Amino acid sequence: MDFELTDEQRQIRTTLAEFAENEIKPHAAKWDKEESFPRHVVEKIGELGFLGVAFPEKYGGGGADTLSQVIVVEGLARYDAGVALACAAHMSLSSGHIAMFAAEEHRAHYLPDMIAAKKLGGWCLTEPSSGSDAAAMKTRAVRSGDNFTINGAKMFITNGGVADVYVVMTITDSASGRSGVSAFIVDRGTRGLSNGRRIEKLGLRSSDTAEVIFENVTVPARNLIGELGAGYRQTLAVLEGGRIGIAGWAAGIARGAMEDAAAYAKQRRQVGQAIADFQAIQWMIADMATRIEASWVLTCRAAALRDAGKPFAREASMAKLYASETAMWSTIKAVQIHGGYGYVTDFPVERYMRDAKLAEIGEGTSEVQRMIIAKSILRDGYLPP
């Protein structure tokens, strides 16, 4: 399998890096400190076409492959994981759900503005009392004539307080378990839709995370995405694809930590020489680079399988699991290489470490990924790639 980037993919990476160096890097620490979401930057990312690289051209997208979208997320995460997460959730989850499963009238109506970042998306699955177990949700949608009325609350929603378009998972048939889950499109401004508190977080503080509350929110029945009761299957498919993006996101954080640690080690001197000359530092950098490279190969393989129309759930979980734990490990080592300076906000590595932790939690915890991988092997066996 050839993992060499195409000329187009290299151009995406180069252009994005130039943008991030100028528009994100100088401001990331301030956004983190102030917990401010830089919507204007996300809008610029959309204007440059990065949010639509993998979407069909007829909606304003670039018509590229999954890996091209991963390159965007990875490249943003290298500089600010919060901004990258906002874009990843917008692309992979909300826009992606509509692109994969909504009726053509909804694709044509929503996707052009979402690809251009004129409208931001939020994907509403998690609730105060349910996370990975989507069937345990309590949000209900009850039909009345040509409408559905939604009641409930969603928690930890990325872009939850700033989104213009929400994809909302609900229970439409409580007696049918997972087969009773349905997804709806809900526009901001719909009566009864509101936000609870904006959630303060350990990291990713430039990403907006909020509660989304539904109090007798009435939407037309045509806002149902796909068939009634298909929401759980849709959710699994969306998450499988999203995990490839999160693997790239985690790899971007790890790369940022490694590059900053290597640069610091070359200029920081002790007993008359750069600490980069010390074997202990070199081994940490070597291990970081190796784990990042392995994360990228796993991510590329999952992306290639998806684009080839082959099963990729196990490979996506492997990529997400390994890359997320690599991000956590690498950022800890980056802080260690910086010594005391790694523990203060003068350098970005402490922010990388705080940001990286969510990679082991969001879109299915590391424990959930291990369950998926193990069940797949026990069911289907294991054949080397």
Side-chain angles (χ1 to χ4, degrees), residues 350-367:
E350 60 84 27
R351 169 165 55 87
Y352 299 160
M353 185 176 70
R354 289 186 284 108
D355 291 347
K357 185 57 194 173
L358 187 77
E360 298 180 315
I361 299 171
E363 294 204 34
T365 64
S366 291
E367 291 74 21

Side-chain angles (χ1 to χ4, degrees), residues 102-152:
E104 177 58 28
E105 65 173 298
H106 287 127
R107 295 176 189 173
H109 177 73
Y110 287 104
L111 289 179
D113 283 347
M114 296 179 80
I115 287 169
K118 294 178 181 178
K119 291 184 177 180
L120 296 184
W123 197 69
C124 299
L125 172 65
T126 303
E127 298 187 356
S129 59
S130 71
S132 298
D133 184 7
M137 72 178 66
K138 297 180 179 178
T139 299
R140 298 287 189 269
V142 178
R143 183 154 196 167
S144 177
D146 293 332
N147 299 312
F148 281 87
T149 300
I150 303 172
N151 281 283

Side-chain angles (χ1 to χ4, degrees), residues 227-260:
E227 299 176 356
L228 198 67
Y232 185 77
R233 296 191 300 275
Q234 295 171 6
T235 295
L236 292 182
V238 170
L239 287 174
E240 285 173 6
R243 283 170 186 148
I244 301 174
I246 291 299
W249 176 78
I253 299 173
R255 178 166 69 92
M258 180 190 69
E259 291 177 347
D260 283 13

Side-chain angles (χ1 to χ4, degrees), residues 8-17 50 53 68 71-72:
E8 181 183 10
Q9 289 167 339
R10 291 185 184 279
Q11 184 62 41
I12 291 172
R13 174 169 280 177
T14 299
T15 305
L16 187 67
F50 290 126
V53 290
S68 297
I71 289 170
V72 171

Side-chain angles (χ1 to χ4, degrees), residues 188-207:
R188 177 171 289 282
T190 303
R191 176 180 288 186
L193 186 154
S194 64
N195 290 118
R197 65 187 179 95
R198 188 173 186 270
I199 297 168
E200 298 178 359
K201 308 185 295 294
L202 171 71
L204 302 169
R205 292 155 66 91
S206 62
S207 168

